[in-house]
Amino acid sequence: MSAAAAKPILYSYFRSSCSWRVRIALALKGISYDLVPVNLIKDGGQQFSAEYKALNPMQQVPALKIDGITISQSLAIINYLEETHPNPRLLPQDPKKRAQVRMIADHIVSGIQPLQNLSVLKQMGEKKMEWAQNCITSGFQALEQILQHTAGRYCVGDEVSMADLCLAPQVANAERFKVDMGPYPTITRINKALLELEAFKISHPSRQPDTPAELRA
Amino acid sequence: MSAAAAKPILYSYFRSSCSWRVRIALALKGISYDLVPVNLIKDGGQQFSAEYKALNPMQQVPALKIDGITISQSLAIINYLEETHPNPRLLPQDPKKRAQVRMIADHIVSGIQPLQNLSVLKQMGEKKMEWAQNCITSGFQALEQILQHTAGRYCVGDEVSMADLCLAPQVANAERFKVDMGPYPTITRINKALLELEAFKISHPSRQPDTPAELRA
């Protein structure tokens, strides 16, 4: 079997919000794949193994082996899937709406998540919880304001887009870090609508092959 | 004059690496624009003013007013420019090469820069320099490995791409934080080639309307 015809392999950790973004995209587009769990905690972090580093020098999840190449960075993966499997689309047709989708996705992917990811929190010691809450809170304040202008049923209008693939996993992180969601009614409403969709359900951290028994849905 | 016909307005800070990415894109595509400086230091940070917050709730630069909308997040802006002003292109035609460009750009934009930006460093006190150096060093170790597979004259092959628009400003940050560039010969070589290009020169932090006299080229 040629590399191009092989089933894609997703390197994923059940709780990684960046991995969840990609799992949603794969589910929405109906792409079947094999999942290889990479435990970010166990053995001092399996992403640091020589084997994984050879696959992804960034030593992070997710990474996707597909069509003979390995792609890392969640939005780079999602954009590749969008270009090679355009249906259903995850970017609107109108360039201005596309810009809104990308602005919201980048705000989460560059402006919020990196500041509260595992490698940063490790260095925060006792201040870990407070640090994470502050990053998410200030990011969500801006996001709530932006969504008041762009949202329909979902982040931008009534179609699920890349922005939504970033939103639901970030809200799950907020809940883990016990952020008070009271001040963010629009984020909360959109998240609830997203979690009703089958693609978000089957890709959920509570339903992964590597989800520990006590956290299973 | 209609909003669509008005000259774009870029809100920028001379030293912001994210602003420089967008200035390069505007220069490469030959888009003329007005620049409004937002001083991230003066007056406790002009990005926190009520006026600027109304324009960009994220309270960051860059932001671009164009075609009647305001876009923030550097890559969202650059993608919009790419879609509305496709020449010269900043993404290769081949989807696999596009994925490489996006992976490298996202690695810098999400994986390195947010960890060493002004708002994080403010909270680091005396450890500021060491923190920034560590973030950039570990990011550049991965980037150097990736570029050994993807680079030609520039980050991916021989055409300037979105990845290069992120690389040169990140190297400038590394130099500001006195990172030893010795271990990164590929990054160093590409950066040098980029800085020879007119679009990188005229958009450089040392040649902006808000560059202080003592830092001018």
Side-chain angles (χ1 to χ4, degrees):
Chain A
M1 194 159 64
S2 77
K7 226 189 209 184
I9 301 174
L10 179 68
Y11 296 82
S12 165
Y13 180 52
F14 76 103
R15 196 183 245 165
S16 146
S17 62
C18 307
S19 299
W20 189 11
R21 295 172 197 152
V22 175
R23 296 196 303 259
I24 301 167
L26 290 162
L28 281 169
K29 291 179 178 288
I31 303 168
S32 106
Y33 63 98
D34 290 323
L35 187 146
V36 174
V38 179
N39 192 315
L40 302 187
I41 311 286
K42 207 176 148 188
D43 312 328
Q46 294 175 341
Q47 73 277 25
F48 301 121
S49 72
E51 192 191 347
Y52 191 74
K53 194 181 172 184
L55 185 91
N56 178 10
M58 296 169 193
Q59 299 173 285
Q60 294 171 333
V61 287
L64 186 70
K65 262 195 190 169
I66 188 167
D67 302 338
I69 58 170
T70 302
I71 316 173
S72 63
Q73 296 293 332
S74 60
L75 282 182
I77 298 171
I78 292 167
N79 272 292
Y80 180 79
L81 297 175
E82 179 74 0
E83 291 179 355
T84 55
H85 298 73
N87 296 310
R89 68 169 182 231
L90 298 175
L91 281 173
Q93 275 181 305
D94 171 41
K96 292 182 190 178
K97 300 262 175 220
R98 293 163 77 91
Q100 290 178 334
V101 166
R102 290 203 174 101
M103 176 172 78
I104 293 166
D106 289 350
H107 174 58
I108 296 169
V109 169
S110 303
I112 304 178
Q113 195 281 332
L115 303 177
Q116 52 95 86
N117 87 352
L118 189 62
S119 65
V120 173
L121 292 185
K122 260 187 201 166
Q123 301 180 61
M124 292 299 152
E126 285 181 6
K127 291 195 306 181
K128 186 171 130 170
M129 197 76 175
E130 191 193 339
W131 174 274
Q133 286 174 343
N134 287 344
C135 299
I136 298 173
T137 300
S138 81
F140 275 10
Q141 279 168 2
L143 186 56
E144 178 71 20
Q145 269 188 272
I146 289 162
L147 290 173
Q148 282 168 11
H149 294 285
T150 62
R153 179 161 175 82
Y154 304 116
C155 284
V156 177
D158 295 325
E159 277 180 33
V160 173
S161 72
M162 289 183 193
D164 300 296
L165 274 56
C166 300
L167 187 85
Q170 186 57 52
V171 173
N173 280 348
E175 289 167 350
R176 257 175 73 210
F177 292 116
K178 305 193 193 309
V179 169
D180 172 15
M181 291 296 292
Y184 318 116
T186 315
I187 296 176
T188 303
R189 171 181 66 72
I190 296 169
N191 183 58
K192 192 161 173 269
L194 291 169
L195 294 183
E196 285 167 13
L197 301 174
E198 188 60 18
F200 285 69
K201 284 184 190 170
I202 61 172
S203 60
H204 194 276
S206 65
R207 291 177 61 178
Q208 296 308 297
D210 57 332
T211 309
E214 68 275 18
L215 296 175
R216 286 197 167 272
Chain B
M1 193 159 68
S2 77
K7 227 188 207 183
I9 300 174
L10 178 67
Y11 296 82
S12 167
Y13 180 52
F14 77 102
R15 194 183 248 165
S16 147
S17 62
C18 307
S19 299
W20 189 12
R21 295 172 196 152
V22 175
R23 294 194 305 256
I24 302 168
L26 289 162
L28 282 168
K29 290 178 179 290
I31 302 168
S32 105
Y33 62 98
D34 290 323
L35 187 147
V36 174
V38 178
N39 191 314
L40 302 186
I41 310 285
K42 205 176 148 189
D43 313 328
Q46 295 175 342
Q47 74 276 27
F48 300 121
S49 72
E51 191 191 348
Y52 191 74
K53 194 181 172 185
L55 185 90
N56 178 10
M58 296 168 193
Q59 300 174 284
Q60 294 169 333
V61 288
L64 186 70
K65 261 195 190 170
I66 188 168
D67 302 337
I69 58 170
T70 302
I71 315 173
S72 63
Q73 296 295 330
S74 60
L75 282 182
I77 298 171
I78 292 167
N79 273 293
Y80 180 80
L81 296 176
E82 180 74 359
E83 291 179 355
T84 54
H85 298 73
N87 295 311
R89 67 170 181 230
L90 298 176
L91 281 172
Q93 274 182 307
D94 171 40
K96 292 181 190 179
K97 299 262 175 221
R98 293 162 77 91
Q100 290 179 334
V101 167
R102 290 204 174 101
M103 177 172 77
I104 293 166
D106 289 351
H107 174 58
I108 296 170
V109 170
S110 303
I112 304 178
Q113 194 281 332
L115 302 177
Q116 52 95 85
N117 87 353
L118 188 63
S119 65
V120 172
L121 292 186
K122 261 188 200 164
Q123 300 179 62
M124 293 300 155
E126 284 179 7
K127 292 195 305 182
K128 185 172 132 171
M129 198 75 175
E130 191 193 340
W131 173 274
Q133 287 174 343
N134 287 343
C135 297
I136 297 172
T137 300
S138 82
F140 275 11
Q141 279 167 5
L143 186 56
E144 178 70 20
Q145 271 189 270
I146 288 163
L147 290 173
Q148 282 168 11
H149 294 285
T150 63
R153 179 161 175 80
Y154 304 116
C155 284
V156 178
D158 295 325
E159 277 180 32
V160 173
S161 72
M162 288 183 195
D164 300 295
L165 275 55
C166 300
L167 186 86
Q170 186 59 51
V171 173
N173 281 347
E175 289 167 351
R176 257 175 71 211
F177 292 116
K178 304 191 193 309
V179 169
D180 172 15
M181 292 296 292
Y184 318 115
T186 315
I187 296 176
T188 303
R189 172 180 66 72
I190 296 169
N191 183 58
K192 193 162 171 268
L194 291 169
L195 294 183
E196 285 167 13
L197 302 174
E198 187 61 17
F200 285 70
K201 283 183 189 170
I202 61 171
S203 60
H204 194 277
S206 65
R207 290 177 61 179
Q208 295 309 298
D210 57 331
T211 309
E214 67 275 20
L215 297 174
R216 285 197 169 273

